[in-house]
Short mmCIF file of all heavy atoms in Angstrom, two decimals:
data_model
loop_
_atom_site.label_atom_id
_atom_site.label_comp_id
_atom_site.label_asym_id
_atom_site.label_seq_id
_atom_site.Cartn_x
_atom_site.Cartn_y
_atom_site.Cartn_z
N ALA A 106 -2.49 -4.52 -14.13
CA ALA A 106 -2.31 -3.32 -13.29
C ALA A 106 -2.28 -3.75 -11.83
O ALA A 106 -2.88 -4.79 -11.47
CB ALA A 106 -3.43 -2.32 -13.55
N VAL A 107 -1.63 -2.95 -11.01
CA VAL A 107 -1.51 -3.29 -9.61
C VAL A 107 -1.57 -2.05 -8.76
O VAL A 107 -1.05 -0.99 -9.16
CB VAL A 107 -0.21 -4.12 -9.35
CG1 VAL A 107 1.02 -3.37 -9.79
CG2 VAL A 107 -0.10 -4.55 -7.89
N ALA A 108 -2.21 -2.15 -7.58
CA ALA A 108 -2.27 -1.06 -6.62
C ALA A 108 -2.03 -1.67 -5.24
O ALA A 108 -2.87 -2.42 -4.74
CB ALA A 108 -3.63 -0.39 -6.66
N GLU A 109 -0.87 -1.37 -4.66
CA GLU A 109 -0.48 -1.95 -3.36
C GLU A 109 -0.63 -0.89 -2.30
O GLU A 109 0.10 0.09 -2.27
CB GLU A 109 0.99 -2.44 -3.45
CG GLU A 109 1.46 -3.18 -2.23
CD GLU A 109 2.96 -3.53 -2.32
OE1 GLU A 109 3.76 -2.60 -2.51
OE2 GLU A 109 3.29 -4.68 -2.19
N HIS A 110 -1.61 -1.07 -1.45
CA HIS A 110 -1.88 -0.09 -0.38
C HIS A 110 -2.07 1.33 -0.90
O HIS A 110 -1.39 2.27 -0.48
CB HIS A 110 -0.74 -0.10 0.67
CG HIS A 110 -0.69 -1.36 1.44
ND1 HIS A 110 -1.76 -1.85 2.15
CD2 HIS A 110 0.32 -2.26 1.63
CE1 HIS A 110 -1.41 -2.98 2.74
NE2 HIS A 110 -0.18 -3.26 2.44
N VAL A 111 -2.98 1.48 -1.85
CA VAL A 111 -3.23 2.78 -2.47
C VAL A 111 -4.72 3.16 -2.43
O VAL A 111 -5.11 4.23 -1.99
CB VAL A 111 -2.73 2.81 -3.92
CG1 VAL A 111 -3.00 4.17 -4.57
CG2 VAL A 111 -1.26 2.47 -4.00
N LEU A 112 -5.57 2.20 -2.89
CA LEU A 112 -6.97 2.55 -3.09
C LEU A 112 -7.67 2.99 -1.79
O LEU A 112 -8.55 3.85 -1.81
CB LEU A 112 -7.74 1.38 -3.70
CG LEU A 112 -7.35 0.96 -5.13
CD1 LEU A 112 -8.30 -0.11 -5.62
CD2 LEU A 112 -7.33 2.14 -6.08
N GLU A 113 -7.26 2.43 -0.64
CA GLU A 113 -7.93 2.81 0.61
C GLU A 113 -7.63 4.24 1.02
O GLU A 113 -8.33 4.80 1.85
CB GLU A 113 -7.57 1.84 1.74
CG GLU A 113 -6.11 1.81 2.18
CD GLU A 113 -5.27 0.71 1.52
OE1 GLU A 113 -5.27 0.66 0.27
OE2 GLU A 113 -4.59 -0.03 2.24
N TYR A 114 -6.57 4.82 0.43
CA TYR A 114 -6.20 6.20 0.77
C TYR A 114 -6.79 7.24 -0.17
O TYR A 114 -6.55 8.43 -0.02
CB TYR A 114 -4.67 6.34 0.80
CG TYR A 114 -4.02 5.41 1.78
CD1 TYR A 114 -3.21 4.36 1.36
CD2 TYR A 114 -4.25 5.56 3.15
CE1 TYR A 114 -2.64 3.49 2.27
CE2 TYR A 114 -3.67 4.70 4.06
CZ TYR A 114 -2.87 3.67 3.63
OH TYR A 114 -2.32 2.80 4.52
N LEU A 115 -7.54 6.76 -1.15
CA LEU A 115 -8.14 7.69 -2.13
C LEU A 115 -9.53 8.13 -1.68
O LEU A 115 -10.26 7.35 -1.07
CB LEU A 115 -8.26 7.02 -3.50
CG LEU A 115 -6.98 6.47 -4.13
CD1 LEU A 115 -7.32 5.78 -5.45
CD2 LEU A 115 -5.96 7.58 -4.33
N ASP A 116 -9.90 9.34 -2.02
CA ASP A 116 -11.27 9.78 -1.71
C ASP A 116 -12.28 8.99 -2.52
O ASP A 116 -13.37 8.73 -2.04
CB ASP A 116 -11.42 11.29 -2.02
CG ASP A 116 -10.66 12.13 -1.00
OD1 ASP A 116 -10.43 11.62 0.12
OD2 ASP A 116 -10.22 13.24 -1.37
N ASP A 117 -11.91 8.67 -3.78
CA ASP A 117 -12.87 8.02 -4.65
C ASP A 117 -12.29 6.78 -5.33
O ASP A 117 -11.91 6.81 -6.52
CB ASP A 117 -13.34 9.04 -5.71
CG ASP A 117 -14.59 8.59 -6.44
OD1 ASP A 117 -14.96 7.39 -6.28
OD2 ASP A 117 -15.18 9.39 -7.17
#
Side-chain angles (χ1 to χ4, degrees):
V107 57
E109 186 185 55
H110 292 304
V111 179
L112 294 186
E113 65 264 54
Y114 300 113
L115 302 177
D116 289 335
D117 195 348

